[in-house]
């Protein structure tokens, strides 16, 4: 019964507390092994420049697959990105003479925001699922019906039975 209530709380947090608008264009959820049971969880979100501001943190659900226990982990907005770039910078400035909405133009532009926290996994279990969701998707998405009415859901699965490992990551920013 405790697991049911933990999962219910996680769902309510995602559906009631994170209604920030319709500008979530994409994202990536990754983990990196630090040492022992400690993993660094990083959420990379991509947002439409003509949209609303980003939240100062996200709530991530960490689910222990052995007991179905759910823990909420707060991922605060990072001050700077790896390599020293400012969080919230545009990912593209557009072409000469055709600036994006990030730079006062009319072409759709996007900004990237990273959120990060270290989390110590409970001992005794090798399988975990990490997930984040937000309402609502960017209305400029053309391959979804009513994208502004759909949530974005990101998930990463960890199986430590395969050894201490890191999740795969994109080598390039996944938006044009």
């Amino acid at each position: 019964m405790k697991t049911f209530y933990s999962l219910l709380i996680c769902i309510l947090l995602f559906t009631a507390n994170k209604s920030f608008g319709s500008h979530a264009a994409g994202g990536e959820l990754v983990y990196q092994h630090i040492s022992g049971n400690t993993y660094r969880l990083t959420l990379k979100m991509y947002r439409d420049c003509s949209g609303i501001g980003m939240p100062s943190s996200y709530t991530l659900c960490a689910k222990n697959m052995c007991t179905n226990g759910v823990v909420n982990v707060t991922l605060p907005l990072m001050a700077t990105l790896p390599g020293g770039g400012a969080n919230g910078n545009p990912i593209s400035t557009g072409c000469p003479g055709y600036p994006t909405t990030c730079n006062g133009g009319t072409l759709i532009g996007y900004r990237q925001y990273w959120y990060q926290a270290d989390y110590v996994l409970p001992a005794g279990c090798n399988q975990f699922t990490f997930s984040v969701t937000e309402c609502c998707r960017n209305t400029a998405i053309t391959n979804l019906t009513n994208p502004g009415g759909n949530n974005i859901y990101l998930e990463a699965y960890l199986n430590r039975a395969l050894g201490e490992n890191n999740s795969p990551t994109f080598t390039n920013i996944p938006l044009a």
Side-chain angles (χ1 to χ4, degrees):
M1 192 61 122
K2 183 180 177 184
T3 301
F4 171 77
Y5 288 120
S6 295
L7 188 57
L8 181 63
I9 288 169
C10 196
I11 290 169
L12 289 174
L13 278 171
F14 287 145
T15 58
N17 198 26
K18 294 294 182 187
S19 302
F20 290 107
S22 58
H23 305 287
E28 180 180 13
L29 181 59
V30 298
Y31 56 82
Q32 176 186 8
H33 179 249
I34 302 299
S35 67
N37 289 342
T38 304
Y39 280 79
R40 179 158 296 142
L41 304 169
T42 304
L43 171 66
K44 303 172 187 177
M45 292 296 292
Y46 301 93
R47 204 70 159 189
D48 183 336
C49 286
S50 63
I52 56 164
M54 291 294 287
S56 60
S57 66
Y58 272 92
T59 301
L60 173 139
C61 274
K63 182 177 180 183
N64 177 327
M65 302 301 286
C66 299
T67 65
N68 287 325
V70 176
V71 174
N72 293 326
V73 179
T74 300
L75 301 177
L77 183 66
M78 296 172 60
T80 58
L81 300 178
N87 213 343
N89 274 349
I91 60 172
S92 173
T93 57
C95 297
Y98 299 95
T100 69
T101 52
C102 301
N103 306 354
T106 57
L107 297 175
I108 296 174
Y110 299 95
R111 296 182 186 277
Q112 67 176 333
Y113 297 86
W114 288 29
Y115 299 81
Q116 191 173 78
D118 290 349
Y119 176 62
V120 179
L121 300 174
C125 186
N126 286 330
Q127 297 179 41
F128 297 86
T129 300
F130 307 110
S131 62
V132 173
T133 189
E134 179 183 358
C135 176
C136 299
R137 298 299 304 266
N138 184 309
T139 56
I141 295 171
T142 59
N143 63 349
L144 291 176
T145 302
N146 187 25
N150 290 297
N151 292 346
I152 185 169
Y153 176 81
L154 304 168
E155 182 178 277
Y157 175 75
L158 168 63
N159 184 353
R160 294 190 303 172
L162 304 173
E164 305 299 344
N165 57 63
N166 301 327
S167 65
T169 62
F170 288 109
T171 54
N172 295 320
I173 294 172
L175 294 172

